[in-house]
Amino acid sequence: MTTVAVKPATMAQALGRALRDAMADDPAVHVMGEDVGALGGVFRVTDGLAKEFGEDRVTDTPLAEAGILGTAVGMAMYGLRPVVEMQFDAFAYPAFEQLISHVAKMRNRTRGAMPLPLTVRVPYGGGIGGVEHHSDSSEAYYMATPGLHVVTPATVADAYGLLREAIASDDPVVFLEPKRLYWSKDSWNPDEPRSVEPIGRAVVRRQGRSATLITYGPSVPVCLEAADAARAEGWDLEVVDLRSLVPFDDETVSASVRRTGRAVVVHESSGYGGPGGEIAARVTERCFHHLEAPVLRVAGFDIPYPPPMLERHHLPGVDRILDAVARLQWEAQS
Amino acid sequence: MTVMEQRGAYRPTPPPAWQPRTDPAPLLPDALPHRVLGTRAAERVDPELLRRLYAELVRGRRYNAQATALTKQGRLAVYPSSTGQEACEVAAALVLEERDWLFPSYRDTLAAVARGLDPVEALTLLRGDRHTGYDPYEHRIAPLCTPLATQLPHAVGLAHAARLKGDDVVALALVGDGGTSEGDFHEALNFAAVWQAPVVFLVQNNGFAISVPLAKQTAAPSLAHKAVGYGMPGRLVDGNDAAAVHEVLGEAIAHARAGLGPTLVEAVTYRMEAHTNADDDKRYRDDAEVEAWRAHDPIALLERELTERGLLDEDGIRAVREDADVMAADLRERMNQDPVLDPMDLFAHVYARPTTHLLEQEAQLRAELDAEARHHEYDENDEHDPEGNTR
């Protein structure tokens, strides 16, 4: 048995590799967006693609998000599989009308005759010291729109696998890329990309018995760190990485909460009207008799994303998660 | 002392010479709307085409009248009439080859019908049973678009994709004067020009965006002038002159087909009726203005041309009107039948791979429908209802 030398790769590299492999496998796949060509994207995810596949398939578009997504809709109507880059979370807002009125609805409006198999890549979230409009977590908006799938990787292998799945999907997918994990490394062999669980499956990243941390994207490593720290307090925490917000994997989440009896939802987007409310409600509806305490949320504050020098106070960190875990000792409190 | 401090002495180095990329002159639109009918140019037009345009105009007017009547009978939720604008609608449909694509807005049912769509299928959106009653690929007609101007980038993308695939396909996108103020109009035109996409934009300038007149919509000399800023030709045409609209669109489509890029065509026309049956146009315009446009009616213009040149006589006119009446009677009869709907269709086409929560909701509705059916059955077989109350 030979051992493959596995080099660490970054999430950005894995995403680029996924785009490359998808384009090589299917001539219908086109990459488009602002700066995706010669520059390789501001995060270098599309590095080298224009050289390999040419400008017709890797297109630097004019700077106009509604135009980028709107023309991608037309291209998908003609049988292509566009992969659109939105550069930064808040830059995607001008394209919302196209996304919500057309991308999400075209299959439904045409009773299945005109599906739009396109992928919208949105680098999202904070923690990289970006100035305003560069750190939003906009997943709640996408989750609230029927017709879209919404996924977000937390590991290098998932970045590759989920993006391949998203591009191959016949449904439009909003692919949220956690900016602050772009440079995170994993031992991942780019020449033997691991197959991953399909879109719609959550994964237990760490097994535990005393409570479940339900999280996704940029908060997954934070929760794993919190779980390590919690061991000292006598808490054995399970960490569930959702990977996919739509579809939502009730089965994996409920099974975990039934085992542990306690749950905290952790995400960095605002809590009010945020994904945590939906997740907590679903968990409560399904696991009420197994719960020893209310499902708690640790989320970003309900404020516009703060300036970079203050963002560490806004983002849910290990301490805030541990505080919530402590509050799960409900019986003692009440 | 820094350079900036040497105020008097500092002379900036001029940047490298910059030249505008295009002389705007060839892009400037016609000074006056292009006309064909009643001019010598009309003699060059194929009489068969003129007769065909005429027949479609009359059918179109009849269609508008019938659909408006259906709103009064409660058969249509709403109908935005294109009466007065039929020349634009009909020319847009007839100028395209079968392989080309039409991108209509919500007022353009006539264009879709003139392109061959079943009149009932074209009305499902407005009846309220199906968002799109037809398969867009069957006639190459995109779904009637309700948001303003958002269909324009789709037309650009489709035309661009077709060209990338080596297909000889042109897209024609329709938009109103109000739609030209939307961001998507700007972005679509800009993308089209940069990509030199084989697409033609037809602005039907009918004078009003619901109630807002053109003067409050734009300060541009004409909507066709907007083309110059994007680097594409702009054309101005009399939108009530079916032959002129057909000719100008035909030239623009040939231009696009030859790989020379997009054109913006502004057709100057007038909406003779209210925005929809729900609108009161007396609040924002006076009868005299509407009457003045009646003298420039698209059907009358073409009828005069054809009769004066002996291409159409009383019998011919009667035959066209009778044909239109048959179409309207058939439409009325079929629209008076209640559409048969399956509530389970609500879930059928949201996703290729439905989410679990959608499957749960589908099961919930199925259970509700089954319970309803059982209740109904019980009601029919027993004079007592399930609550035990005697009738």
Side-chain angles (χ1 to χ4, degrees):
Chain A
M1 196 176 132
T2 55
T3 313
V4 182
V6 178
K7 271 189 260 173
T10 66
M11 182 180 279
Q13 286 168 335
L15 291 166
R17 180 60 185 260
L19 290 171
R20 193 211 149 269
D21 291 354
M23 293 186 82
D25 284 358
D26 182 356
V29 177
H30 284 238
V31 168
M32 55 198 287
E34 168 79 358
D35 302 310
V36 298
L39 184 67
V42 293
F43 296 105
R44 305 292 180 269
V45 169
T46 58
D47 194 22
L49 294 181
K51 200 172 262 181
E52 187 172 350
F53 297 102
E55 278 183 35
D56 279 352
R57 288 186 65 195
V58 183
T59 307
D60 272 336
T61 62
L63 201 170
E65 287 75 14
I68 295 169
L69 191 52
T71 51
V73 167
M75 290 164 71
M77 282 178 174
Y78 205 77
L80 301 184
R81 284 185 178 269
V83 183
V84 164
E85 178 176 305
M86 283 294 162
Q87 199 159 87
F88 281 95
D89 32 59
F91 295 6
Y93 300 152
F96 256 46
E97 185 179 19
Q98 284 294 340
L99 188 74
I100 284 153
S101 294
H102 294 299
V103 174
K105 293 179 183 166
M106 195 64 86
R107 169 186 293 276
N108 189 254
R109 289 169 71 203
T110 60
R111 307 187 80 241
M114 192 172 252
L116 294 180
L118 56 81
T119 305
V120 187
R121 294 180 41 235
V122 187
Y124 82 119
I128 62 160
V131 296
E132 59 170 350
H133 308 299
H134 290 72
S135 298
D136 285 21
S137 294
S138 31
E139 58 268 33
Y141 306 133
Y142 303 117
M143 286 172 71
T145 304
L148 302 176
H149 283 177
V150 184
V151 303
T152 177
T155 68
V156 173
D158 257 3
Y160 180 90
L162 277 177
L163 186 51
R164 288 301 303 270
E165 278 246 356
I167 296 169
S169 168
D170 286 331
D171 289 309
V173 179
V174 176
F175 191 88
L176 298 167
E177 300 175 2
K179 271 192 243 70
R180 96 174 114 120
L181 300 184
Y182 269 141
W183 303 280
S184 68
K185 288 186 180 185
D186 256 346
S187 294
W188 175 73
N189 180 1
D191 293 319
E192 281 182 11
R194 262 193 292 156
S195 66
V196 293
E197 295 285 329
I199 287 179
R201 291 270 181 77
V203 164
V204 176
R205 292 278 173 220
R206 183 191 193 282
Q207 291 188 333
R209 290 175 290 106
S210 28
T212 302
L213 301 180
I214 305 164
T215 188
Y216 55 88
S219 294
V220 171
V222 184
C223 285
L224 289 171
E225 201 185 325
D228 282 343
R231 222 169 352 190
E233 318 268 334
W235 285 88
D236 179 22
L237 299 180
E238 182 146 308
V239 177
V240 175
D241 172 5
L242 293 173
R243 301 170 73 253
S244 165
L245 297 170
V246 182
F248 187 84
D249 186 354
D250 286 302
E251 210 178 309
T252 302
V253 171
S254 300
S256 171
V257 175
R258 282 180 191 150
R259 274 196 303 274
T260 62
R262 294 175 167 87
V264 181
V265 188
V266 181
H267 59 67
E268 69 178 61
S269 71
S270 297
Y272 188 82
E278 174 64 32
I279 296 165
R282 298 183 80 80
V283 169
T284 307
E285 284 172 358
R286 282 166 176 74
C287 312
F288 183 72
H289 292 293
H290 299 265
L291 286 170
E292 307 285 339
V295 181
L296 299 180
R297 288 172 291 168
V298 177
F301 293 133
D302 299 324
I303 55 171
Y305 198 86
M309 292 172 82
L310 293 173
E311 68 179 348
R312 69 186 178 87
H313 300 293
H314 169 72
L315 294 173
V318 170
D319 289 346
R320 210 169 282 163
I321 296 168
L322 292 177
D323 282 350
V325 169
R327 277 190 287 137
L328 288 176
Q329 290 170 313
W330 187 250
E331 262 178 335
Q333 277 179 30
S334 54
Chain B
M1 187 182 261
T2 67
V3 170
M4 287 312 288
E5 284 163 338
Q6 306 170 355
R7 285 192 178 278
Y10 176 63
R11 291 281 180 278
T13 317
W18 179 83
Q19 290 292 323
R21 293 210 348 216
T22 316
D23 174 5
L27 303 176
L28 279 170
D30 317 64
L32 285 170
H34 179 69
R35 293 194 60 185
V36 168
L37 297 177
T39 75
R40 297 185 70 176
E43 289 161 25
R44 293 198 307 269
V45 184
D46 176 10
E48 249 341 281
L49 174 64
L50 291 179
R51 278 195 283 255
R52 192 149 169 239
L53 286 168
Y54 177 75
E56 288 294 344
L57 283 183
V58 172
R59 278 168 67 93
R61 171 87 29 113
R62 189 71 189 80
Y63 184 96
N64 276 328
Q66 186 57 60
T68 301
L70 287 166
T71 63
K72 290 175 182 146
Q73 296 158 16
R75 281 290 171 182
L76 280 181
V78 66
Y79 185 71
S81 167
S82 58
T83 292
Q85 301 176 226
E86 294 95 338
C88 301
E89 299 283 314
V90 162
L94 297 195
V95 78
L96 294 176
E97 300 287 340
E98 206 182 310
R99 62 185 179 280
D100 296 331
W101 273 78
L102 181 72
F103 285 78
S105 78
Y106 61 88
R107 198 184 294 286
D108 303 316
T109 39
L110 267 198
V113 171
R115 188 163 164 75
L117 197 62
D118 180 328
V120 171
E121 289 185 350
L123 285 176
T124 61
L125 170 75
L126 302 163
R127 177 162 65 179
D129 55 324
R130 285 178 184 175
H131 296 314
T132 304
Y134 53 97
D135 178 345
Y137 292 99
E138 199 179 321
H139 296 278
R140 294 177 182 80
I141 303 171
L144 293 162
C145 188
T146 309
L148 292 187
T150 54
Q151 78 280 19
L152 305 184
H154 305 171
V156 177
L158 181 134
H160 177 63
R163 198 169 61 140
L164 289 178
K165 285 192 170 185
D167 295 345
D168 176 24
V169 169
V170 175
L172 171 62
L174 309 182
V175 67
D177 43 305
T180 66
S181 299
E182 293 279 3
D184 279 52
F185 171 82
H186 158 68
E187 298 191 20
L189 265 69
N190 191 46
F191 272 66
V194 169
W195 287 351
Q196 289 288 284
V199 60
V200 176
F201 304 97
L202 173 62
V203 180
Q204 292 184 58
N205 170 9
N206 68 13
F208 296 90
I210 302 190
S211 69
V212 179
L214 189 70
K216 289 186 181 175
Q217 196 67 242
T218 181
S222 77
L223 296 173
H225 271 84
K226 289 175 184 267
V228 181
Y230 299 105
M232 72 174 77
R235 297 295 310 274
L236 192 60
V237 60
D238 181 340
N240 287 17
D241 180 335
V245 182
H246 192 276
E247 184 173 286
V248 168
L249 285 180
E251 286 166 12
I253 285 164
H255 187 83
R257 220 185 278 292
L260 300 172
T263 303
L264 172 63
V265 179
E266 175 187 0
V268 183
T269 182
Y270 196 78
R271 192 186 75 213
M272 296 302 288
E273 291 174 356
H275 165 60
T276 68
N277 49 300
D279 166 39
D280 177 10
D281 61 336
K282 302 231 179 305
R283 283 171 173 258
Y284 54 84
R285 63 184 183 186
D286 52 40
D287 293 343
E289 182 180 296
V290 182
E291 283 313 308
W293 274 91
R294 218 174 285 285
H296 194 61
D297 182 82
I299 295 179
L301 285 180
L302 189 48
E303 199 171 279
R304 193 184 311 143
E305 178 80 38
L306 286 165
T307 50
E308 278 178 7
R309 284 169 54 194
L311 298 170
L312 187 73
D313 57 15
E314 284 300 320
D315 285 347
I317 292 173
R318 197 179 312 115
V320 166
R321 287 184 187 161
E322 280 170 10
D323 170 62
D325 284 339
V326 169
M327 179 274 301
D330 175 64
L331 175 62
R332 186 171 56 239
E333 193 192 315
R334 287 162 67 209
M335 288 296 288
N336 274 322
Q337 293 159 15
D338 292 327
V340 181
L341 299 175
D342 179 0
M344 298 315 288
D345 263 8
L346 288 176
F347 300 101
H349 305 290
V350 183
Y351 293 100
R353 212 159 56 90
T355 59
T356 40
H357 69 266
L358 213 55
L359 294 172
E360 286 165 13
Q361 289 163 18
E362 193 177 1
Q364 181 195 340
L365 180 61
R366 166 59 60 209
E368 285 171 12
L369 291 170
D370 288 349
E372 219 171 81
R374 278 197 304 276
H375 194 98
H376 189 66
E377 213 171 290
Y378 190 92
D379 253 11
E380 280 182 349
N381 295 337
D382 200 303
E383 59 185 28
H384 295 92
D385 71 15
E387 278 78 43
N389 301 316
T390 309
R391 289 236 174 95

